[in-house]
Amino acid sequence: MRLAVIAPGGYGKSALLDRLAEVDGAVRHRRGVVPDAGLLLVDDAHLLGDAGLAEVAELAADDRLGVVVAARPWPRPHGLSAVLARLRGQIVLRPFDRDRVAACLRVVTGADPEPSTVDKVHALTGGVPGLVHRLAPHLRAPDPALAAEDLRFDVDRLDRDARRVLVAAEAGIADLPPGVLDRQAAEVVAEVRAGGLTAPDGALLPVAAAAVRAVVPDEERASAFAAVATARLAAGGPLVATARALLDAGASGPEAAELYAAAAPEAEPAQAVRLYAAAAAAGHEVDEAGWAEAEVRAGDPAAALRRADAVIGRGTGAARARAAAVAGAALAHRGQLARSAELYRWGGGAVSAAFAAIGYVGTGKLEEARLALKDAEDAPPTVFAGAVTATARGVLDSVAGPALSTVVHAAEAMEAVGAGALLPDSPAAIAALMALHGGDPAAAEPVLDRAVAARVGGAPLVARHRLLRGWAAMVAGDEAAATAAVGAEPAGRDAVFAAGLAVGVARRGSDLGALRRRWEGACAAVARQPVDLFTLLPLGELAVAAARLGDRDRLAPHVAAAWELLAALGDPPLWTTMPHWHGLHAELLADDPDAARGHADALRAAADAGPVTAALADAAQVWLRVVGGDVDRDAVESAARALHTAGLRWDGARLAGQAAIRTPDRAAMVGLLECARGLQGPAATPPRTRRASPPGSASASCRSRAWCWRA
């Protein structure tokens, strides 16, 4: 038997030699004692000096003598390598699996351990046999902290470099920068791994991490963290991983604070906020405008506004301009579009001027928008600046004619560069709004999907993109997708869209109870937000619901403000079509046909603006006649199918259903019911050839009538 046993501490080398010592003729190695024959057992060979290793090598040269040598992987002196070269094989000791952990615990405690206890011990120790034995006395509540004292000697006997490696590993820092250690890092890491406190991949085992926290004094940990922070800053390269690890470990000295401040601009928003705060708490000067930007991107516009406002008040130059842009974005997310535009304009810069132009159009200030857009033409020729400027140009052009393609192209360009940008709104969201106002929800869906996939605008625009996607689904008749899009309770302008979406789904489902439950919250959301061009869709939907509930007075000031805004813009067909459509239905529900006729006439006057507007204009006239009892089946079906083709599937089905319950012609009623059912699907049903109704089909069934009232 001529074997080597190489394994880290705690893997059972000595236990194996103890078992072999029971063999007849086995003797343990002692300096100066030469066995006659049999089996020579050498433990901790890595600790033998040159003389001791030379002696073992000389003994191993005698082929009549069996030799088993146990050693750690490190250190590996030259003399040990010479001894191992004379051996013929190696016994491999591995960590315990769960079954062997259970068996070990059974032997140590004399009882069968619970499976959960076995799993926890295995997770805490990595299955290292020595660590399992040390934790076994604490099985009543397996806690690595309870075994920390048992490992004190293992940690205490290490030198400063090895202890720094352990402290860094406990903090999650695996790659130490040059300058932290006096010795070669590879050598120190090999020493630590040989101690049996790490997993095979080098990660510190939980029970060992608890020992490091308990044994290494706070001042020594602080010194190690300071050395890591200083070395990482000196080495350059990415800083975030090290900064995050030190922050999570509680490092707070001046060196760590300097690292936090330097790493914050590179970090994800939520992490950046923590880094800025930790640096400031340690007394280090930080970029307040950058901190405010991180806050708004992390979803806290209120905190961002407070910080940015302070910088605007006391800062200078570039810091004030950046703070103004941050405040402008935060205010836009909160629905304060007019103030947002003012701050962007005041802060200066071509890109900010483009954002200001969008805000000015959204609040009905066309002249200011034109002046801002002129300044935006000086933007640098970057993809980002080009996308923002094109969006502003498209929004301004939309008050005079078609401009959707301009904004869609801007949205496509923004997909490549917009993930880390702070945006008051995204080109994709604005393009989707234009498509929805133009009665083309199918055009809104892909541009939103691409923006979501590209994470345009980051976290602040996630809810906005999702809600607009849900709005397109609702208009198209997919109530399940629309309901799913509402998600968690949003804030700011998103709250208005969420309220409009929830109310719209309830109304389309004829769920009067849900409509009433959501109404108070919807009114509160609207009351908190000034009216602007980009919130007309939910306001229109809520106006219809208000008429359904007989509570129009609460929304009357907001509806009046919307019409004033549109008048200031010159009543552009793109933006007035859907408000007139919503107004038509609100007046019909309020039983005011004269007011409804005014909206229908406005739609007819703008019918030449495009096929969708023409379809809505025709449908409005047909709807008025239906409400008045004049049901022309051919005209109704044609108008309903045109609405369906325009993407307003629910409206098309509802028109056919409403006509069915108002016609005195029973055959027409059945035909219109069939048309309404067909229009619920994704594609309009082709015109049917009229057939004589079979006996018994002349009256609608109760189920059919219920469906009509639901529509």
mmCIF file of all heavy atoms in Angstrom, residues 667-702:
data_model
loop_
_atom_site.group_PDB
_atom_site.id
_atom_site.type_symbol
_atom_site.label_atom_id
_atom_site.label_comp_id
_atom_site.label_asym_id
_atom_site.label_seq_id
_atom_site.Cartn_x
_atom_site.Cartn_y
_atom_site.Cartn_z
ATOM 1 N N ALA A 667 -86.917 39.387 -37.934
ATOM 2 C CA ALA A 667 -85.868 38.790 -38.759
ATOM 3 C C ALA A 667 -84.598 39.641 -38.701
ATOM 4 O O ALA A 667 -83.477 39.118 -38.608
ATOM 5 C CB ALA A 667 -86.351 38.656 -40.200
ATOM 6 N N ALA A 668 -84.781 40.962 -38.736
ATOM 7 C CA ALA A 668 -83.615 41.842 -38.642
ATOM 8 C C ALA A 668 -82.953 41.703 -37.285
ATOM 9 O O ALA A 668 -81.714 41.734 -37.159
ATOM 10 C CB ALA A 668 -84.036 43.285 -38.875
ATOM 11 N N MET A 669 -83.764 41.508 -36.235
ATOM 12 C CA MET A 669 -83.219 41.357 -34.901
ATOM 13 C C MET A 669 -82.308 40.135 -34.816
ATOM 14 O O MET A 669 -81.184 40.209 -34.302
ATOM 15 C CB MET A 669 -84.349 41.220 -33.887
ATOM 16 C CG MET A 669 -83.892 40.942 -32.467
ATOM 17 S SD MET A 669 -85.280 40.779 -31.328
ATOM 18 C CE MET A 669 -86.155 39.381 -32.029
ATOM 19 N N VAL A 670 -82.782 39.005 -35.375
ATOM 20 C CA VAL A 670 -81.969 37.786 -35.345
ATOM 21 C C VAL A 670 -80.686 37.982 -36.142
ATOM 22 O O VAL A 670 -79.600 37.608 -35.722
ATOM 23 C CB VAL A 670 -82.778 36.600 -35.883
ATOM 24 C CG1 VAL A 670 -81.893 35.365 -36.008
ATOM 25 C CG2 VAL A 670 -83.972 36.307 -34.967
ATOM 26 N N GLY A 671 -80.803 38.600 -37.288
ATOM 27 C CA GLY A 671 -79.615 38.834 -38.109
ATOM 28 C C GLY A 671 -78.601 39.746 -37.426
ATOM 29 O O GLY A 671 -77.381 39.520 -37.496
ATOM 30 N N LEU A 672 -79.112 40.773 -36.774
ATOM 31 C CA LEU A 672 -78.206 41.691 -36.088
ATOM 32 C C LEU A 672 -77.552 41.027 -34.887
ATOM 33 O O LEU A 672 -76.385 41.306 -34.562
ATOM 34 C CB LEU A 672 -78.979 42.947 -35.649
ATOM 35 C CG LEU A 672 -79.370 43.891 -36.783
ATOM 36 C CD1 LEU A 672 -80.362 44.941 -36.285
ATOM 37 C CD2 LEU A 672 -78.112 44.579 -37.343
ATOM 38 N N LEU A 673 -78.292 40.130 -34.223
ATOM 39 C CA LEU A 673 -77.686 39.386 -33.118
ATOM 40 C C LEU A 673 -76.546 38.498 -33.630
ATOM 41 O O LEU A 673 -75.471 38.406 -33.010
ATOM 42 C CB LEU A 673 -78.734 38.525 -32.409
ATOM 43 C CG LEU A 673 -79.701 39.248 -31.477
ATOM 44 C CD1 LEU A 673 -80.757 38.278 -30.971
ATOM 45 C CD2 LEU A 673 -78.930 39.848 -30.305
ATOM 46 N N GLU A 674 -76.774 37.854 -34.756
ATOM 47 C CA GLU A 674 -75.720 37.026 -35.333
ATOM 48 C C GLU A 674 -74.512 37.885 -35.713
ATOM 49 O O GLU A 674 -73.363 37.495 -35.514
ATOM 50 C CB GLU A 674 -76.255 36.289 -36.558
ATOM 51 C CG GLU A 674 -77.290 35.215 -36.231
ATOM 52 C CD GLU A 674 -77.862 34.571 -37.477
ATOM 53 O OE1 GLU A 674 -77.547 35.072 -38.585
ATOM 54 O OE2 GLU A 674 -78.611 33.593 -37.351
ATOM 55 N N CYS A 675 -74.769 39.043 -36.253
ATOM 56 C CA CYS A 675 -73.676 39.966 -36.608
ATOM 57 C C CYS A 675 -72.914 40.376 -35.358
ATOM 58 O O CYS A 675 -71.672 40.385 -35.347
ATOM 59 C CB CYS A 675 -74.248 41.191 -37.304
ATOM 60 S SG CYS A 675 -73.012 42.473 -37.666
ATOM 61 N N ALA A 676 -73.637 40.700 -34.284
ATOM 62 C CA ALA A 676 -72.977 41.124 -33.048
ATOM 63 C C ALA A 676 -72.095 40.026 -32.485
ATOM 64 O O ALA A 676 -70.966 40.272 -32.054
ATOM 65 C CB ALA A 676 -74.033 41.537 -32.019
ATOM 66 N N ARG A 677 -72.613 38.789 -32.504
ATOM 67 C CA ARG A 677 -71.793 37.672 -32.008
ATOM 68 C C ARG A 677 -70.546 37.503 -32.859
ATOM 69 O O ARG A 677 -69.453 37.264 -32.351
ATOM 70 C CB ARG A 677 -72.605 36.381 -32.009
ATOM 71 C CG ARG A 677 -73.746 36.356 -31.000
ATOM 72 C CD ARG A 677 -74.308 34.950 -30.883
ATOM 73 N NE ARG A 677 -75.527 34.945 -30.097
ATOM 74 C CZ ARG A 677 -76.745 35.001 -30.596
ATOM 75 N NH1 ARG A 677 -76.907 35.071 -31.918
ATOM 76 N NH2 ARG A 677 -77.803 34.998 -29.816
ATOM 77 N N GLY A 678 -70.691 37.607 -34.152
ATOM 78 C CA GLY A 678 -69.550 37.435 -35.039
ATOM 79 C C GLY A 678 -68.498 38.506 -34.850
ATOM 80 O O GLY A 678 -67.303 38.248 -35.015
ATOM 81 N N LEU A 679 -68.919 39.700 -34.483
ATOM 82 C CA LEU A 679 -67.966 40.813 -34.331
ATOM 83 C C LEU A 679 -67.214 40.764 -33.007
ATOM 84 O O LEU A 679 -66.327 41.588 -32.775
ATOM 85 C CB LEU A 679 -68.704 42.148 -34.441
ATOM 86 C CG LEU A 679 -69.293 42.456 -35.825
ATOM 87 C CD1 LEU A 679 -70.028 43.785 -35.796
ATOM 88 C CD2 LEU A 679 -68.194 42.493 -36.874
ATOM 89 N N GLN A 680 -67.550 39.815 -32.148
ATOM 90 C CA GLN A 680 -66.789 39.687 -30.907
ATOM 91 C C GLN A 680 -65.414 39.092 -31.153
ATOM 92 O O GLN A 680 -64.509 39.258 -30.349
ATOM 93 C CB GLN A 680 -67.534 38.791 -29.915
ATOM 94 C CG GLN A 680 -68.818 39.396 -29.418
ATOM 95 C CD GLN A 680 -69.493 38.467 -28.437
ATOM 96 O OE1 GLN A 680 -69.213 38.472 -27.254
ATOM 97 N NE2 GLN A 680 -70.389 37.643 -28.954
ATOM 98 N N GLY A 681 -65.240 38.389 -32.283
ATOM 99 C CA GLY A 681 -63.976 37.729 -32.564
ATOM 100 C C GLY A 681 -62.956 38.662 -33.142
ATOM 101 O O GLY A 681 -63.185 39.858 -33.316
ATOM 102 N N PRO A 682 -61.781 38.123 -33.498
ATOM 103 C CA PRO A 682 -60.704 38.971 -34.001
ATOM 104 C C PRO A 682 -60.911 39.481 -35.411
ATOM 105 O O PRO A 682 -60.244 40.390 -35.839
ATOM 106 C CB PRO A 682 -59.484 38.048 -33.937
ATOM 107 C CG PRO A 682 -60.052 36.669 -34.034
ATOM 108 C CD PRO A 682 -61.370 36.726 -33.333
ATOM 109 N N ALA A 683 -61.794 38.892 -36.165
ATOM 110 C CA ALA A 683 -62.007 39.341 -37.547
ATOM 111 C C ALA A 683 -63.489 39.448 -37.821
ATOM 112 O O ALA A 683 -64.296 38.657 -37.337
ATOM 113 C CB ALA A 683 -61.358 38.379 -38.533
ATOM 114 N N ALA A 684 -63.870 40.421 -38.585
ATOM 115 C CA ALA A 684 -65.286 40.620 -38.880
ATOM 116 C C ALA A 684 -65.840 39.471 -39.691
ATOM 117 O O ALA A 684 -65.180 38.919 -40.558
ATOM 118 C CB ALA A 684 -65.472 41.930 -39.636
ATOM 119 N N THR A 685 -67.085 39.093 -39.382
ATOM 120 C CA THR A 685 -67.738 38.030 -40.131
ATOM 121 C C THR A 685 -68.163 38.540 -41.493
ATOM 122 O O THR A 685 -68.695 39.650 -41.597
ATOM 123 C CB THR A 685 -68.982 37.547 -39.354
ATOM 124 O OG1 THR A 685 -68.566 37.177 -38.047
ATOM 125 C CG2 THR A 685 -69.631 36.376 -40.054
ATOM 126 N N PRO A 686 -67.930 37.798 -42.555
ATOM 127 C CA PRO A 686 -68.351 38.261 -43.880
ATOM 128 C C PRO A 686 -69.860 38.466 -43.919
ATOM 129 O O PRO A 686 -70.606 37.831 -43.178
ATOM 130 C CB PRO A 686 -67.926 37.115 -44.806
ATOM 131 C CG PRO A 686 -66.901 36.357 -44.042
ATOM 132 C CD PRO A 686 -67.265 36.487 -42.612
ATOM 133 N N PRO A 687 -70.330 39.371 -44.778
ATOM 134 C CA PRO A 687 -71.782 39.596 -44.883
ATOM 135 C C PRO A 687 -72.504 38.299 -45.206
ATOM 136 O O PRO A 687 -72.061 37.501 -46.040
ATOM 137 C CB PRO A 687 -71.888 40.600 -46.034
ATOM 138 C CG PRO A 687 -70.556 41.273 -46.104
ATOM 139 C CD PRO A 687 -69.563 40.231 -45.682
ATOM 140 N N ARG A 688 -73.608 38.083 -44.516
ATOM 141 C CA ARG A 688 -74.368 36.857 -44.702
ATOM 142 C C ARG A 688 -75.428 37.061 -45.790
ATOM 143 O O ARG A 688 -75.968 38.148 -45.946
ATOM 144 C CB ARG A 688 -75.078 36.440 -43.406
ATOM 145 C CG ARG A 688 -74.116 36.048 -42.300
ATOM 146 C CD ARG A 688 -74.903 35.733 -41.028
ATOM 147 N NE ARG A 688 -74.019 35.309 -39.966
ATOM 148 C CZ ARG A 688 -73.657 34.061 -39.747
ATOM 149 N NH1 ARG A 688 -74.097 33.108 -40.548
ATOM 150 N NH2 ARG A 688 -72.855 33.746 -38.749
ATOM 151 N N THR A 689 -75.715 35.980 -46.495
ATOM 152 C CA THR A 689 -76.828 36.001 -47.436
ATOM 153 C C THR A 689 -78.111 35.874 -46.634
ATOM 154 O O THR A 689 -78.236 34.998 -45.778
ATOM 155 C CB THR A 689 -76.724 34.821 -48.425
ATOM 156 O OG1 THR A 689 -75.477 34.919 -49.095
ATOM 157 C CG2 THR A 689 -77.856 34.857 -49.407
ATOM 158 N N ARG A 690 -79.054 36.741 -46.899
ATOM 159 C CA ARG A 690 -80.274 36.731 -46.114
ATOM 160 C C ARG A 690 -81.084 35.486 -46.413
ATOM 161 O O ARG A 690 -81.225 35.092 -47.565
ATOM 162 C CB ARG A 690 -81.114 37.969 -46.426
ATOM 163 C CG ARG A 690 -80.388 39.245 -46.031
ATOM 164 C CD ARG A 690 -81.357 40.366 -45.840
ATOM 165 N NE ARG A 690 -80.681 41.551 -45.343
ATOM 166 C CZ ARG A 690 -81.323 42.608 -44.890
ATOM 167 N NH1 ARG A 690 -82.637 42.624 -44.871
ATOM 168 N NH2 ARG A 690 -80.657 43.646 -44.437
ATOM 169 N N ARG A 691 -81.566 34.895 -45.329
ATOM 170 C CA ARG A 691 -82.387 33.692 -45.468
ATOM 171 C C ARG A 691 -83.674 33.891 -44.690
ATOM 172 O O ARG A 691 -83.727 34.655 -43.738
ATOM 173 C CB ARG A 691 -81.659 32.475 -44.909
ATOM 174 C CG ARG A 691 -80.347 32.157 -45.624
ATOM 175 C CD ARG A 691 -79.613 31.028 -44.920
ATOM 176 N NE ARG A 691 -79.288 31.419 -43.545
ATOM 177 C CZ ARG A 691 -78.711 30.589 -42.684
ATOM 178 N NH1 ARG A 691 -78.433 29.349 -43.035
ATOM 179 N NH2 ARG A 691 -78.429 30.987 -41.465
ATOM 180 N N ALA A 692 -84.666 33.157 -45.121
ATOM 181 C CA ALA A 692 -85.923 33.214 -44.376
ATOM 182 C C ALA A 692 -85.709 32.595 -43.011
ATOM 183 O O ALA A 692 -85.054 31.567 -42.888
ATOM 184 C CB ALA A 692 -87.017 32.438 -45.132
ATOM 185 N N SER A 693 -86.229 33.221 -41.973
ATOM 186 C CA SER A 693 -86.064 32.701 -40.629
ATOM 187 C C SER A 693 -86.930 31.474 -40.439
ATOM 188 O O SER A 693 -88.100 31.454 -40.821
ATOM 189 C CB SER A 693 -86.467 33.768 -39.604
ATOM 190 O OG SER A 693 -85.645 34.905 -39.759
ATOM 191 N N PRO A 694 -86.378 30.426 -39.815
ATOM 192 C CA PRO A 694 -87.172 29.230 -39.551
ATOM 193 C C PRO A 694 -88.215 29.492 -38.493
ATOM 194 O O PRO A 694 -88.103 30.450 -37.725
ATOM 195 C CB PRO A 694 -86.128 28.217 -39.053
ATOM 196 C CG PRO A 694 -85.026 29.054 -38.492
ATOM 197 C CD PRO A 694 -85.007 30.289 -39.320
ATOM 198 N N PRO A 695 -89.246 28.657 -38.462
ATOM 199 C CA PRO A 695 -90.281 28.849 -37.452
ATOM 200 C C PRO A 695 -89.684 28.833 -36.055
ATOM 201 O O PRO A 695 -88.777 28.050 -35.757
ATOM 202 C CB PRO A 695 -91.213 27.636 -37.671
ATOM 203 C CG PRO A 695 -90.972 27.227 -39.091
ATOM 204 C CD PRO A 695 -89.551 27.530 -39.367
ATOM 205 N N GLY A 696 -90.172 29.700 -35.202
ATOM 206 C CA GLY A 696 -89.707 29.727 -33.822
ATOM 207 C C GLY A 696 -88.509 30.608 -33.592
ATOM 208 O O GLY A 696 -88.090 30.788 -32.462
ATOM 209 N N SER A 697 -87.930 31.163 -34.669
ATOM 210 C CA SER A 697 -86.730 31.982 -34.487
ATOM 211 C C SER A 697 -87.031 33.464 -34.547
ATOM 212 O O SER A 697 -86.134 34.276 -34.591
ATOM 213 C CB SER A 697 -85.691 31.645 -35.564
ATOM 214 O OG SER A 697 -86.177 32.025 -36.838
ATOM 215 N N ALA A 698 -88.283 33.807 -34.566
ATOM 216 C CA ALA A 698 -88.645 35.205 -34.801
ATOM 217 C C ALA A 698 -88.372 36.085 -33.601
ATOM 218 O O ALA A 698 -88.297 37.293 -33.722
ATOM 219 C CB ALA A 698 -90.123 35.292 -35.180
ATOM 220 N N SER A 699 -88.228 35.525 -32.414
ATOM 221 C CA SER A 699 -87.980 36.364 -31.239
ATOM 222 C C SER A 699 -86.649 35.979 -30.611
ATOM 223 O O SER A 699 -86.246 34.824 -30.646
ATOM 224 C CB SER A 699 -89.094 36.180 -30.199
ATOM 225 O OG SER A 699 -89.128 34.841 -29.771
ATOM 226 N N ALA A 700 -86.002 36.954 -30.089
ATOM 227 C CA ALA A 700 -84.707 36.685 -29.454
ATOM 228 C C ALA A 700 -84.924 35.922 -28.164
ATOM 229 O O ALA A 700 -85.867 36.170 -27.423
ATOM 230 C CB ALA A 700 -83.983 37.990 -29.167
ATOM 231 N N SER A 701 -84.031 34.980 -27.896
ATOM 232 C CA SER A 701 -84.102 34.237 -26.645
ATOM 233 C C SER A 701 -83.685 35.132 -25.487
ATOM 234 O O SER A 701 -83.094 36.192 -25.667
ATOM 235 C CB SER A 701 -83.162 33.027 -26.698
ATOM 236 O OG SER A 701 -81.814 33.460 -26.740
ATOM 237 N N CYS A 702 -84.029 34.677 -24.275
ATOM 238 C CA CYS A 702 -83.629 35.446 -23.097
ATOM 239 C C CYS A 702 -82.114 35.585 -23.036
ATOM 240 O O CYS A 702 -81.580 36.627 -22.663
ATOM 241 C CB CYS A 702 -84.140 34.761 -21.827
ATOM 242 S SG CYS A 702 -85.932 34.804 -21.668
#
